[in-house]
Amino acid sequence: MATIRTTPQTLQISLTRTEKVLGLLRDLEVPLTAVRSVEVVPDGLAAARGIRAPGLGLPGRRLIGTWRRRGTKAFVSVRRGPAVRLHLTGQRFDTVLVFADDAAAVAADVAAHRTVPR
């Protein structure tokens, strides 16, 4: 399961080895200044939009990879349940959608780190 961690300057998303292989992704690190917004979505599977290219899609169970829509690219690693969606600016991905057991706490942590003066 992917993990989201914040440091005073960056947001780090770490994937398991299996997620990296199946989703053809690597760990993602972005500056907190690139995070435009953060939100909790109740169903991560339903929140993924676009065409998978490349990655793994097991309908109703697991989505890992890059999802593309006209002019946007999303980093996705979700399964059934709540997820955190991050909107980014000036990065390789426009959106990040990651499953989290306690999505509300993760979103609150990211939001708190974004507002701390640096």
Side-chain angles (χ1 to χ4, degrees):
M1 176 172 75
T3 57
I4 300 174
R5 202 177 89 186
T6 54
T7 67
Q9 302 289 325
T10 62
L11 172 79
Q12 299 170 342
I13 299 171
S14 301
L15 301 171
T16 64
R17 181 172 300 166
T18 303
E19 287 173 317
K20 290 176 184 178
V21 171
L22 295 176
L24 298 172
L25 293 171
R26 58 180 181 230
D27 292 342
L28 183 65
E29 185 172 336
V30 297
L32 282 172
T33 56
V35 179
R36 286 186 314 174
S37 65
V38 59
E39 65 180 310
V40 175
V41 294
D43 183 6
L45 292 173
R49 298 278 187 246
I51 296 172
R52 174 180 39 91
L56 170 76
L58 298 173
R61 301 209 47 190
R62 194 78 162 102
L63 303 175
I64 308 168
T66 302
W67 261 248
R68 299 171 191 269
R69 289 174 59 173
R70 186 181 310 249
T72 65
K73 191 162 66 164
F75 179 103
V76 176
S77 179
V78 293
R79 60 177 123 188
R80 283 187 205 137
V84 175
R85 183 185 331 215
L86 303 157
H87 295 279
L88 306 176
T89 183
Q91 299 299 308
R92 188 174 57 161
F93 293 98
D94 302 297
T95 307
V96 173
L97 183 64
V98 178
F99 171 83
D101 285 325
D102 192 358
V106 171
D109 184 47
V110 172
H113 278 85
R114 281 184 55 230
T115 58
V116 174
R118 291 183 249 331

